[in-house]
């Protein structure tokens, strides 16, 4: 069995199309098809359902895809380990990030890139926690920054990063006479721009409001953290955002930040990596950085 055959098989499972898989592997379609046929002969099981075109993987093929991905991931980890022993860490670190952590991820990437300047970091934003977990298990991502609760973490390493706590941000003109705190009812009365419904950060806000028998209908909704701050900066709107965002986004001086009184609402953000051994050397280095930063 050749690793190249596994690469072609995994590419076909990913693309679900012979021509696209061949293009992704920089080989001709006949060469890819023949290589997968030889893999089937060696394994003595059919992997692909064939007709006039690709019709999907066989049940045997679907079961063997995770094994093929694991073997290739171990191959890549071995290469990274050898290079690290010789010259220090190199390669590409792939991190999936939920939207709520798209700015706070700098708390990890900044010290990581400082410690390992030869490593390239690829951030994939706007993924849901479940999508990140799935892609870590498929060895398509080295790590994820996500909400770990409500996810199955049995084969993953979870490193807590911080707790989200919502705060109100608004221009001083919208908050005359306010101190350092504000009630949820007063916050609900402000002209709000909020995250889009369905996003985890928005659900936390809606649940807290519902516990006070409050409902808001914001004039503006967005899935962009930067867009929220930009609209608050106009002075027309207020917003409710996780306090850790402000560590990296740094709102303008004329923007006030108020803590919300009871009920207290928090959500955990964590770094998640595969528990598979020996695993990604880059992933292990990122966990080390996260531990040092806590």
């Amino acid at each position: 069995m050749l690793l190249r055959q596994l690469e072609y098989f995994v590419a076909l499972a990913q693309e679900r199309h012979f021509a696209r898989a061949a293009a992704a592997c920089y080989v001709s379609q006949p060469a890819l098809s023949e290589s997968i046929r030889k893999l089937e002969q060696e394994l003595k099981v059919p992997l692909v359902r064939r007709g006039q075109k690709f019709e999907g993987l066989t049940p045997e093929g679907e079961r063997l895809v995770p094994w093929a991905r694991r073997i290739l991931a171990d191959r890549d980890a071995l290469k990274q380990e050898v290079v690290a022993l010789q010259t220090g860490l190199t390669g590409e670190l792939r991190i999936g990030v939920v939207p709520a952590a798209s700015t706070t991820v700098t708390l990890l990437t900044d010290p990581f890139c400082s410690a390992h300047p030869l490593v390239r970091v690829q951030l994939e934003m706007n993924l849901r926690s479940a999508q990140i977990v799935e892609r870590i298990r498929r060895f398509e991502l080295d790590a994820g920054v996500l909400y770990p609760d409500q996810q199955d973490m049995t084969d993953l390493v979870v490193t807590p990063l911080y707790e989200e706590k919502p705060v109100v941000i608004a221009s001083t003109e919208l908050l005359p006479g306010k101190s350092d705190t504000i009630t949820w009812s007063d916050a609900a009365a402000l002209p709000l721009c909020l995250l889009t419904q369905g996003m985890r950060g928005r659900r936390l806000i809606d649940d807290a409001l519902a516990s006070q028998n409050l409902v808001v209908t914001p004039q503006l909704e967005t899935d962009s953290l930067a867009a929220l701050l930009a609209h608050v900066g106009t002075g027309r709107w207020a917003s409710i955002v996780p306090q850790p965002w402000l560590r990296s986004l740094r709102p303008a001086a004329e923007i006030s930040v108020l803590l919300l009184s009871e009920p207290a609402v928090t959500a955990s953000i964590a770094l998640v990596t595969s528990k598979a051994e020996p695993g990604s050397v880059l992933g292990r280095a990122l966990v080390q950085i996260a531990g040092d930063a806590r």
Side-chain angles (χ1 to χ4, degrees), residues 205-265:
I205 294 169
D206 288 343
D207 290 346
L209 290 167
S211 72
Q212 303 290 299
N213 296 317
L214 298 170
V215 178
V216 296
T217 305
Q219 183 182 16
L220 187 146
E221 294 181 324
T222 176
D223 62 358
S224 167
L225 314 189
L228 282 183
L229 275 187
H231 283 84
V232 170
T234 67
R236 182 185 297 273
W237 290 279
S239 189
I240 303 175
V241 302
Q243 191 174 31
W245 290 7
L246 307 182
R247 296 169 61 181
S248 53
L249 291 176
R250 297 183 181 89
E254 62 271 16
I255 300 300
S256 296
V257 179
L258 302 184
L259 297 175
L260 281 153
S261 55
E262 297 295 332
V265 178

Side-chain angles (χ1 to χ4, degrees), residues 148-163:
D149 59 318
Q150 302 178 4
Q151 304 298 324
D152 178 10
M153 296 291 168
T154 53
D155 56 346
L156 301 171
V157 176
V158 179
T159 305
L161 294 177
Y162 59 83
E163 292 288 323

Side-chain angles (χ1 to χ4, degrees), residues 9 21 28 40-41 47 57-58 62 66 70 73 98 105 116 150 152 174 181 184 198 200 212 248 265 271 274 277 293:
F9 175 50
S28 67
E40 291 175 316
Q41 293 171 1
L47 302 176
L57 300 181
T58 64
E62 294 287 359
R70 172 64 191 270
V98 293
V105 71
H116 307 292
Q150 302 178 4
D152 178 10
L174 286 178
T181 62
W184 282 94
R200 176 60 183 276
Q212 303 290 299
S248 53
V265 178
L271 172 68
S274 174
E277 293 293 343

Side-chain angles (χ1 to χ4, degrees), residues 6 16 18 23 40 56 79 89 108 113 132 152 155 185 198 203 227 233 247 256 258 262-263 265-266 273 294:
L6 296 180
R16 300 281 166 168
F18 277 106
E40 291 175 316
K79 288 181 177 179
L89 291 183
L108 283 180
C113 290
I132 295 173
D152 178 10
D155 56 346
S185 59
R203 293 203 302 271
R247 296 169 61 181
S256 296
L258 302 184
E262 297 295 332
V265 178
T266 60
T273 54
R294 291 176 60 193

